[in-house]
Amino acid sequence: MYQGHTLTVTMLDEGVAELIFDLQGESVNKFSRQTVKELSEALDKLESTEGLTGVLITSGKPALMVGADITEFQEFFASGEQAVIDYLASNNRNFCRLEDLPVPVVVTVDGYALGGGMELCLACDYRILTPEAKVGLPETRLGIIPGWGGTVRLPRLVGVDTAAEWIASGKNWDAKSALIAGVADAVVPADELRAGGLHTLAQCRAGKMDFRARRALKTGPLQHNRIEATMAFETGKSVVAAQAGRHYPAPLAALDVMEAAAGESRDRALEIEAKTFARLATTSVAKALVGIFLNDQALSKQAKRWQKRNDQPVRRAAVLGAGIMGGGIAYQSALKGIPIKLKDIAQEGLDQGLDEANRLLSKRVDQGRMEAHAMGEALNRIEPALSYDGFDQVEMVVEAVVENAKVKRSVLAETEREVGENTILASNTSTISITSLAEALQRPENFCGMHFFNPVHAMPLVEVIRGTQSSDRALARTVDFATALGKKPVVVRDCPGFLVNRVLFPYFAGFALLVRDGVDYQRIDQVMERWGWPMGPAYLLDVVGLDTAIHAEAVMADAYPDRLSRDFTSCTQILFDAGRLGQKNGGGFYDYEKDRKGKPQKQPSEVAKQLLPIQGEAPELSDDDIVARMMVPMVTELVRCLDEDIVASPAEADMAMVYGTGFPPFRGGPLRWVDDLGADEFRRMAESWSSLSALYELPASLSDRAETNDLFYPLAEGREGASE
């Protein structure tokens, strides 16, 4: 009946038409402009077909539909609200035409049906899933709301409470959850999926299932009385507002749309949805979060390129040093199904590492995220060892011993003698030069850095560090291993601090200057947290550990003396000299007491206040001044890393800061923030403080951008396929 590039329509027996989504040349289906156009043409055929008794929607790929083509978002988001509304209208017409066909429509879902794919399903009369299916509306994670009827049809189908949770959270839901919620009508094995869809259509033809009654629910006003609806929406808003926070307006806006459209018909409700979508789509938050999504896709594509060059998947691994970091790495490997040896020189160390892995696995069981038998299987994948027995059988060894160059060189050289010639060694150092450590090795080409962030299980970033002699083979295997562990690897060149710490410590240096100048560190924390950081710099230093910070500061000051050497005693040094190490010993900038669950809780510290008297006349600084003095050093150092090819692209640079430091996602990363602010405005911000320190001097490349107004992210970038 119809043949397109993205979909086809074929007539089956009994007057049933099968609409098959199958985007040619791609691994997944997505709602691009072409898909929308072809769906309209296919509907023309269906509407004019005599003897049509039903429509079955299927996929020619493992997943039904992963959503809209996000690479198209930036272009039409930048075109203004009316352009966005016009974009939405074309597919809203499609879905309404599908919903208004005079015959039942059944969709079958294996794999993913997300975003626009989920909204397609909601426009159908019946939804049949396999146990492996995942459905959801992730739009709020992009700073927008569903725009093709998600806020209209879902609450009418499943009620306000469930719809609010599904839409505001942006989560993916499994088939069982969808069935319980009423989103799915049946869950059947994958090999029975198509037959299940055809059977449902047969039941409709026989009059045993009333598809018209279902449509009436979705196309009319919400079936709640006024009191019920008011209670549901007000309760939902209070919960969502607390969870989303002030910087993420989309979840609350979704509830506002559902409430405003509750008494309206489908078509009027869709207009309300589209208007709010368009308003959100043109905000800086949506621009930043869509940018985060595209950058994450770019990161994944880059990792896949490295993985294709890997000559040996890691089937057995080992970690040296069974402390908190070693135990965390062993846990992550075991959790992901990769057997790992956990080696230490002392039984006490092994016990600590195993306790850490056991604690993390037990927590998953307690949270209902893992069965007890699966925990036992994971623990059995960790093999504690006091010797190198069996190390000749592993493909990857991660060294995670004490942060001391002499000790690391000795351990690495010893390990190299015990492993196979093709085994890759990697050091989990945070500050020590990979090139320097490689000098102790006979096969330096088989060595690179693999810097995990603490806590290993929670932090997604892994820096894969190329020393001067590191081979592509070493990098490829390390990237492959990091990806297998569920991490986000970014390949960077060797330099003091690598990427994240090199950029983070100028930020801390800006903090030290503010405290030196008499600004209350608690106020600095409050300002930066309001700006979007999960924790302010003083709190972050306490979490990192002031001893760790002092060590890293010394390394960084030696490497970059013009920017990071000091002619004063820093607040961090004063507290460290007084024996305050941060959370690890109960006191740093703040005091810490453990709650009932054993988590350290921050309290103001009179001791720290007394130790850090004002060392000069406190200037009158606005909150914006504090943000500028904190952020300019971070951005300028990140730009230097780009200029020096420490990191390959703005996307990788920004995502490293988001995943490695907690940089606010709604700002898109430091470089995207500069794009949003304007390079010229950033230059003015930096010049206001240039007399303070070389930290506030702009690299030449950034000054050039200010002159030409060049962007780190030109609009034409990011055109490779991506879907939400």
Side-chain angles (χ1 to χ4, degrees), residues 24-249:
Q24 300 304 300
E26 296 277 356
S27 60
V28 294
N29 295 318
K30 55 194 171 189
F31 265 117
S32 62
R33 282 188 174 95
Q34 185 173 10
T35 309
V36 172
K37 175 178 176 291
E38 291 185 1
L39 179 57
S40 178
E41 293 169 354
L43 286 163
D44 290 341
K45 294 289 187 183
L46 290 170
E47 288 169 342
S48 62
T49 299
E50 294 184 7
L52 186 69
T53 63
V55 176
L56 177 68
I57 297 180
T58 63
S59 172
K61 300 187 185 300
L64 175 70
M65 183 75 65
V66 292
D69 187 344
I70 302 299
T71 61
E72 296 180 349
F73 276 20
Q74 291 177 314
E75 182 180 339
F76 75 80
F77 280 17
S79 301
E81 292 188 22
Q82 189 56 50
V84 174
I85 290 171
D86 292 343
Y87 170 88
L88 296 176
S90 57
N91 213 31
N92 269 327
R93 284 192 293 270
N94 283 341
F95 287 0
C96 290
R97 290 171 67 191
L98 185 69
E99 195 168 43
D100 292 341
L101 286 172
V103 297
V105 181
V106 176
V107 62
T108 59
V109 182
D110 193 13
Y112 289 101
L114 304 176
M118 169 72 166
E119 289 171 297
L120 167 70
C121 295
L122 293 174
C124 299
D125 300 310
Y126 298 96
R127 289 153 294 279
I128 302 176
L129 279 58
T130 67
E132 294 74 33
K134 299 281 186 182
V135 295
L137 294 166
E139 287 87 352
T140 55
R141 296 187 176 190
L142 299 178
I144 52 178
I145 63 171
W148 287 330
T151 68
V152 177
R153 294 184 177 92
L154 188 60
R156 286 159 175 74
L157 184 69
V158 302
V160 171
D161 293 340
T162 299
E165 182 182 9
W166 276 53
I167 293 172
S169 71
K171 287 171 53 178
N172 296 343
W173 301 83
D174 61 25
K176 181 180 178 182
S177 300
L179 187 64
I180 293 170
V183 171
D185 295 292
V187 177
V188 301
D191 59 358
E192 299 176 17
L193 183 61
R194 193 166 179 278
L198 292 171
H199 175 73
T200 303
L201 288 172
Q203 293 288 94
C204 291
R205 286 199 305 275
K208 296 180 180 179
M209 299 177 75
D210 188 355
F211 70 93
R212 292 183 179 85
R214 287 187 151 233
R215 287 185 185 175
L217 281 176
K218 291 190 295 170
T219 55
L222 194 63
Q223 297 296 305
H224 278 291
N225 66 45
R226 185 173 297 177
I227 295 175
E228 288 175 337
T230 300
M231 289 180 62
F233 283 119
E234 290 307 312
T235 301
K237 285 179 185 178
S238 62
V239 172
V240 168
Q243 292 176 342
R246 58 194 288 263
H247 297 297
Y248 298 89

Side-chain angles (χ1 to χ4, degrees), residues 666-679:
F666 72 91
R667 297 192 185 276
L671 302 179
R672 197 176 290 277
W673 172 62
V674 172
D675 275 359
D676 186 53
L677 187 68

